[in-house]
Structure formats: structure tokens, C-alpha cells
Amino acid sequence: MAEREIIRLACILARPLRPIDVETHLGINHRTAVRMLQTLCKKGWFTAVTGATGKHVVRYELQRGAMNQIMQKT
């Protein structure tokens, strides 16, 4: 259920998500937000975007078709 809400949040914001966006929206801690976003990346729904130095992931972009995938599962 939380994964679906994260995808919905990404659609509403219409920009790449930051872990802080997920934290505040769902009321969860930072590690849980990052873990959920990483899981969605492994499933192919998001892509991790690194910062300027390329060391850390700072944003997660929703992939095209992710919304279609989630709608088909319901």
C-alpha cells in the first residue's frame, strides 16, 4: 500500500522524489523511506539519480509506465 502511495506522490509532485518528500508524506523515518525507494528501483518503477559529485543518490525519478503497472495490479 505504501508503494502505491509513493508512486501517487511522485505523480502529484511531477518531479523526482527526494527521501524527505516520502518521509514527510508518509510519516516514516529516513531509513525506511530510502529502503522503500530502493525497493521501487529494483522493481523498475523508479530510477536513482545521483548528485553533482556522483557519490550519493539524491533523487528518484518515476519511470514511464509505472502508473500503468500499478493500475493493472489492482
Side-chain angles (χ1 to χ4, degrees):
M1 198 64 145
E3 290 179 348
R4 195 178 302 177
E5 188 63 22
I6 292 171
I7 292 170
R8 193 174 78 78
L9 176 64
C11 291
I12 291 170
L13 294 178
R15 64 172 170 78
L17 286 181
R18 301 170 300 163
I20 190 78
D21 298 328
V22 176
E23 291 172 36
T24 55
H25 186 71
L26 297 178
I28 57 177
N29 68 22
H30 182 76
R31 286 186 181 203
T32 304
V34 170
R35 191 176 314 122
M36 293 175 98
L37 288 164
Q38 288 172 344
T39 301
L40 288 168
C41 285
K42 288 178 185 175
K43 291 181 177 183
W45 294 347
F46 281 85
T47 301
V49 179
T50 57
T53 60
K55 288 184 179 181
H56 303 284
V57 174
V58 293
R59 292 184 196 90
Y60 295 85
E61 285 184 345
L62 183 64
Q63 292 297 302
R64 292 188 185 271
M67 201 62 181
N68 293 338
Q69 289 178 4
I70 200 76
M71 295 304 283
Q72 289 175 355
K73 289 187 176 190
T74 56

